[in-house]
Every structure is written in structure tokens, then in C-alpha cells.
């Protein structure tokens, strides 16, 4: 008997235009349909939501992609898109995972959205999975958890805890702020061990090409 999973929340951008350029954008269709197919073929229910709710703008509309074509022509996918709930209406604890789809629209409405950050926190604190593809990780940049610290700040604090003094190539104010905040974070031994394990499992190399192995 398969275990019963809570649904997976799939989040797409509501932003339709690339800044002042006037060029249309939105979420990238295949970056939603392909994950949906894998999840739903495995019997896992999904909810499609968007930042503002309602019909999100579609980019990368390509029906030569068979997965795109199947969802667009053979399922209720179009109706699901037309009626997406806004993130403000949802609770992260109701989902086993959250997935942020890509597309250039995410650069304008994922990072600063307070509901996206809240959903990330609620899913994570309910022992769920937080995931994203391509431009989708924009939602993770300023997400904060137990320590009220961002992912970037924890990463810098981890490097400091390992005996490395990171030289941050600061090009924006928030780069300086991240480094300053990280210097005040004291990671517990078990947190450092967990980060090391996750890095090994995901094959993340924390060294630059010029560095010796950190100990």
C-alpha cells in the first residue's frame, strides 16, 4: 500500500512583462508541466497556485513538447491555470512539498513576495520539501527560517564556521548586509554536520578552484 502524501504545491509567477522593456514573460510552461507529470504519474496530488491568483501569464508556449500538448489539450490544465489560488489564500502546512516553477516573470514577483517566504517557512517547518527549477529559486533568496536568516547568510556563516574568511564580491547593498549578518550567526555543531551531509548528498563543492580542502 502506497503512503498517503499531502499534495504538492506548484507555484508560478503572475508577472507578465520584463521590466520596462515591454517584452512579454511569465512562467515557463514546460517547467510546470514536466514536474506535474512526474508527480501525478506517481499518484501524488498537486495544486497549482500563483503569486496573485487567477490566470498567470504563460511563456515558452510550445505544443511540440508532448507533455505540454497533453496537459494543454487532454486535461483540465487550462481550467486549473485560469483559477489558480493566490499564495495568500494557502497554508504551507497543508502540503508535503512546494515547488517554484521557472520563467523570467519570477525575477519580478518571487523574491520579495511575503507569502512565498511564508509558504517556504511553513512547508519546511512541517518537515516538507522546498524545491525550485531554473529561475524559480528567486523565491528562496530572502526566505528565512528559525534564525531569521536568509539562505545566503547561512551559507556565509557555514563557510566562516569551517575556518574560511569569505571574500564577498559585493556589487549590491544586500551583499554587504548578508556578510555582516552572517558574521553574527553561530551555527551549532549539529547544524554544520547537517550542512556537510546535504552538500555531500547533492554533490555541492564548497571550494573555489584555487582553494585547498576546508577542514
Amino acid at each position: 500500500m502506497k503512503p498517503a502524501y499531502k499534495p504538492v504545491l506548484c507555484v508560478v509567477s503572475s508577472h507578465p512583462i520584463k521590466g520596462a522593456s515591454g517584452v512579454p514573460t511569465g512562467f515557463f510552461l514546460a517547467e510546470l508541466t514536466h514536474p506535474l507529470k512526474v508527480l501525478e504519474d506517481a499518484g501524488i496530488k498537486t495544486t497549482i497556485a500563483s503569486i496573485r491568483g487567477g490566470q498567470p501569464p504563460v511563456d515558452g508556449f510550445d505544443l511540440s513538447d508532448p507533455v505540454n500538448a497533453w496537459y494543454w489539450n487532454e486535461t483540465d490544465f487550462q481550467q486549473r491555470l485560469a483559477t489558480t489560488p493566490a499564495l495568500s489564500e494557502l497554508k504551507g502546512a497543508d502540503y508535503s512539498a512546494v515547488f517554484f516553477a521557472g520563467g523570467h516573470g519570477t525575477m519580478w514577483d518571487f523574491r520579495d513576495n511575503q507569502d512565498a517566504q511564508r509558504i517556504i517557512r511553513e512547508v519546511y517547518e512541517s518537515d516538507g520539501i522546498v524545491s525550485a527549477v531554473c529561475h524559480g529559486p528567486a523565491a528562496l533568496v530572502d526566505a528565512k527560517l528559525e534564525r531569521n536568516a536568509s539562505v545566503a547568510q547561512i551559507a556565509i556563516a557555514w563557510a566562516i564556521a569551517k575556518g574560511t574568511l569569505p571574500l564577498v564580491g559585493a556589487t549590491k547593498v544586500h551583499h554587504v548586509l548578508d556578510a555582516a549578518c552572517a558574521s553574527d550567526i553561530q551555527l551549532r555543531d549539529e547544524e554544520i554536520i547537517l550542512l556537510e551531509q546535504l552538500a555531500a548528498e547533492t554533490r555541492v563543492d564548497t571550494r573555489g578552484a584555487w582553494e585547498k580542502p576546508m577542514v
Side-chain angles (χ1 to χ4, degrees):
M1 184 176 178
K2 291 183 179 180
Y5 293 105
K6 291 186 287 187
V8 171
L9 177 61
C10 300
V11 183
V12 298
S13 172
S14 293
H15 191 83
I17 302 292
K18 292 183 180 179
S21 71
V23 176
T25 189
F27 77 91
F28 199 82
L29 185 59
E31 291 174 9
L32 175 62
T33 59
H34 283 250
L36 280 179
K37 188 74 163 60
V38 172
L39 291 166
E40 293 175 353
D41 282 355
I44 299 172
K45 294 182 179 180
T46 61
T47 297
I48 303 172
S50 61
I51 296 297
R52 294 199 298 265
Q55 177 72 54
V58 181
D59 198 4
F61 187 78
D62 178 11
L63 296 188
S64 69
D65 179 318
V67 177
N68 283 351
W70 183 78
Y71 269 101
W72 197 260
N73 296 322
E74 306 294 335
T75 73
D76 63 349
F77 181 70
Q78 292 188 54
Q79 176 63 21
R80 293 173 71 186
L81 284 183
T83 57
T84 63
L87 284 189
S88 60
E89 302 170 11
L90 306 177
K91 296 180 180 179
D94 293 336
Y95 300 93
S96 62
V98 60
F99 168 76
F100 291 91
H104 292 160
T106 64
M107 297 293 96
W108 281 268
D109 65 357
F110 268 19
R111 176 174 179 174
D112 296 329
N113 186 268
Q114 294 299 307
D115 286 304
Q117 294 180 22
R118 174 183 57 79
I119 290 289
I120 290 168
R121 185 169 58 251
E122 291 173 352
V123 169
Y124 181 85
E125 291 175 353
S126 300
D127 295 324
I129 295 171
V130 177
S131 60
V133 68
C134 200
H135 288 73
L140 310 181
V141 174
D142 289 331
K144 297 182 179 181
L145 301 174
E146 174 190 354
R147 293 175 173 275
N148 197 34
S150 69
V151 173
Q153 291 163 9
I154 292 296
I156 297 170
W158 177 30
I160 294 171
K162 290 155 69 72
T164 298
L165 180 60
L167 300 176
V168 180
T171 59
K172 294 181 174 62
V173 172
H174 71 81
H175 292 164
V176 179
L177 294 176
D178 282 340
C181 291
S183 66
D184 292 329
I185 297 172
Q186 297 293 320
L187 294 174
R188 299 187 294 271
D189 289 344
E190 59 269 26
E191 291 174 324
I192 295 172
I193 291 171
L194 177 59
L195 287 168
E196 295 288 347
Q197 291 173 341
L198 291 172
E201 290 172 4
T202 55
R203 299 182 181 180
V204 171
D205 189 349
T206 60
R207 294 170 293 144
W210 63 91
E211 292 181 288
K212 296 179 180 179
M214 290 186 279
V215 295

